[in-house]
């Protein structure tokens, strides 16, 4: 099979790229290792930046998001038993975020791709990218029990951290930067309406907690836990008691409880590989970078990568110039490192490091008070949280 752009990975990055290319008149094929049911059910991020919302609307994938998503105009920072609201529109000139689960974004993009776009092959396992340093790369993959090849002008690896695309870049030609954190998140889904209108990021001596939501009737909550924690060790009663303690404030606010339908533990890490291009192979999303979830940047970074890449591919098709493609890695990495810094800041400011001293704890509180008391500090947080413009 032959196409212009071969896309490895049918998650939000790969599917959105295919959609953007389709709108630009550029053909593509998407190879997804998993079946459709798995792809449409895997739980991931739920906060969409303003730029992500704008990109989905612009490519015709925003109708259900606009009907069912929850637009949020701020977050609450909670510490010292008090809440402090960060007003996004007031601080950013009108920008906001949307609560709309990644699973729903994927469902919308899958439906559009199958109805209007090029081939989307589920259970198509990519084996290798060959000829990445040439103008005629080939993806070897298996589908329906047979090994096949996809010949392309360009290959885009949207296949995540564990995918095969990155390995097609010679080790000598890439460099990795990473940081691991001494804590993880225990995340739960609960069949109970959210106890808040906007997300609550809570810092306490007992550790970090986050109150989020998926829908008006489903809450998503997180607890900081030690690395290596087994979710089975946490009973429902223990989870709700710990959440109560970490969200405690000197007001009449109450954390509503309900049946927990899912729980899992997510390690915290920051990771970047450079460059994001090698010859005819381009990396996007988790194939190139990972952020801790505290800053809500993972999905949004993947979206900005493919928006930049689609724009560059369209520019080459229209003008014959590879200028934007040649700048792809540098353009994306500037934004990636800004997001890495913001995610690191949010993570280290809000979590309790088991190796920190009381002095370190007081510095954390000083930083949080600065955000609550300083318009300049609050503006910087709001601008980064709602998302920097995609350029």
């Amino acid at each position: 099979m032959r196409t212009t752009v071969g896309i490895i990975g049918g998650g939000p990055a790969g599917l959105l790229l295919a959609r953007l290319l389709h709108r630009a008149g550029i053909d593509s094929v998407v190879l997804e290792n998993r079946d459709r049911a798995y792809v449409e059910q895997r739980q991931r991020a739920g906060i969409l930046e303003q730029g992500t919302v704008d990109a989905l609307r612009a490519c015709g994938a925003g109708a259900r998001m606009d009907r069912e998503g929850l637009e949020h105009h701020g977050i609450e920072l909670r510490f010292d038993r008090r809440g402090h609201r960060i007003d996004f529109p007031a601080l950013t000139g009108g920008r906001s975020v949307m609560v709309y689960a990644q699973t729903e974004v994927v469902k919308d993009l899958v439906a559009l791709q199958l109805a209007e776009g090029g081939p989307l092959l589920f259970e198509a396992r990519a084996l290798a990218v060959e000829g990445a340093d040439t103008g005629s790369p080939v993806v070897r993959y298996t589908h329906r029990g047979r090994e096949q090849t996809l010949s392309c002008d360009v290959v885009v690896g949207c296949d995540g951290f564990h995918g095969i695309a990155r390995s097609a870049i010679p080790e000598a030609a890439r460099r990795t930067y990473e940081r691991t954190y001494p804590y993880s998140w225990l995340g739960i889904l609960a069949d109970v309406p959210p106890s808040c209108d906007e997300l609550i990021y809570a810092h306490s001596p007992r550790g970090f907690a986050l109150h989020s939501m998926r829908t008006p009737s489903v809450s998503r909550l997180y607890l900081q836990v030690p690395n290596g924690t087994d979710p089975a060790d946490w009973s429902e009663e223990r989870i709700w008691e710990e959440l109560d303690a970490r969200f405690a404030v000197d007001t009449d606010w109450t954390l509503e409880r309900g049946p927990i339908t899912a729980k899992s533990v997510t390690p915290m890490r920051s990771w970047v590989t450079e460059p994001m291009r090698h010859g005819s192979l381009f990396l996007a999303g988790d194939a190139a970078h990972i952020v801790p979830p505290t800053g809500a940047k993972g999905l949004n970074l993947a979206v900005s990568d493919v928006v930049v890449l689609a724009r560059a591919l369209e520019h080459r098709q229209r003008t014959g110039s590879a200028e934007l493609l040649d700048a792809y890695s540098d353009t994306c990495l500037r934004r990636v490192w800004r997001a890495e810094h913001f995610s690191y800041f949010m993570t280290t400011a809000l979590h309790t490091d088991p190796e920190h001293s009381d002095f370190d704890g007081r510095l954390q509180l000083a930083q949080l008070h600065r955000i609550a008391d300083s318009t300049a500090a609050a503006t910087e947080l709001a601008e980064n949280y709602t998302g920097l413009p995609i350029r």
Side-chain angles (χ1 to χ4, degrees), residues 188-207:
I188 66 164
L189 279 172
D191 283 339
V192 60
S195 305
C196 51
D197 295 326
E198 298 171 337
L199 274 66
I200 301 173
Y201 286 77
H203 168 84
S204 82
R206 303 175 68 97

Side-chain angles (χ1 to χ4, degrees), residues 113-339:
Q113 185 69 10
L114 293 177
E116 304 174 10
L120 165 55
L121 306 183
F122 293 104
E123 299 180 87
R125 178 169 169 259
L127 304 174
V129 178
E130 298 174 348
D133 54 354
T134 74
S136 304
V138 172
V139 182
R140 288 195 298 107
Y141 67 99
T142 58
H143 186 235
R144 296 177 178 172
R146 293 176 50 235
E147 183 170 323
Q148 304 183 50
T149 59
L150 177 63
S151 300
C152 325
D153 294 338
V154 166
V155 175
V156 184
C158 301
D159 50 346
F161 178 77
H162 298 290
I164 60 94
R166 188 174 62 257
S167 63
I169 302 178
E171 287 192 21
R174 55 185 158 98
R175 184 172 181 182
T176 297
Y177 305 84
E178 62 183 321
R179 175 186 291 272
T180 57
Y181 298 84
Y183 33 72
S184 300
W185 276 12
L186 171 63
I188 66 164
L189 279 172
D191 283 339
V192 60
S195 305
C196 51
D197 295 326
E198 298 171 337
L199 274 66
I200 301 173
Y201 286 77
H203 168 84
S204 82
R206 303 175 68 97
F208 169 77
L210 171 62
H211 192 320
S212 182
M213 62 283 293
R214 283 292 177 261
T215 70
S217 60
V218 176
S219 295
R220 182 73 160 153
L221 300 105
Y222 300 92
L223 283 169
Q224 175 187 340
V225 294
N227 288 339
T229 292
D230 184 348
D233 292 338
W234 283 75
S235 66
E236 288 201 19
E237 182 64 23
R238 182 185 179 192
I239 289 171
W240 289 117
E241 289 296 326
E242 190 62 28
L243 286 167
D244 257 331
R246 297 189 192 185
F247 286 123
V249 283
D250 293 329
T251 66
D252 59 358
W253 184 86
T254 301
L255 176 65
E256 300 297 335
R257 302 186 181 194
I260 294 176
T261 59
K263 56 183 177 179
S264 61
V265 169
T266 303
M268 308 283 282
R269 63 184 311 206
S270 301
W271 175 87
V272 180
T273 190
E274 296 184 2
M276 291 173 59
R277 178 195 183 178
H278 177 72
S280 300
L281 172 64
F282 297 78
L283 303 180
D286 286 359
H289 42 73
I290 292 174
V291 291
T294 326
K297 291 288 159 248
L299 168 62
N300 296 294
L301 271 183
V303 167
S304 65
D305 288 346
V306 298
V307 168
V308 169
L309 182 54
R311 189 181 295 155
L313 289 166
E314 182 181 5
H315 179 75
R316 186 180 71 171
Q317 175 172 274
R318 189 177 68 254
T319 68
S321 170
E323 178 184 5
L324 297 184
L325 274 180
D326 291 340
Y328 168 76
S329 182
D330 289 341
T331 299
C332 289
L333 284 169
R334 282 194 295 272
R335 184 185 184 90
V336 166
W337 281 111
R338 292 279 299 271

Side-chain angles (χ1 to χ4, degrees), residues 22-42:
H22 171 73
R23 302 271 286 198
I26 301 172
D27 61 293
S28 69
V29 173
V30 181
L31 305 177
E32 167 53 44
N33 185 34
R34 302 284 191 166
D35 62 38
R36 181 177 179 178
Y38 181 92
V39 169
E40 293 185 340
Q41 291 172 8
R42 51 189 171 195

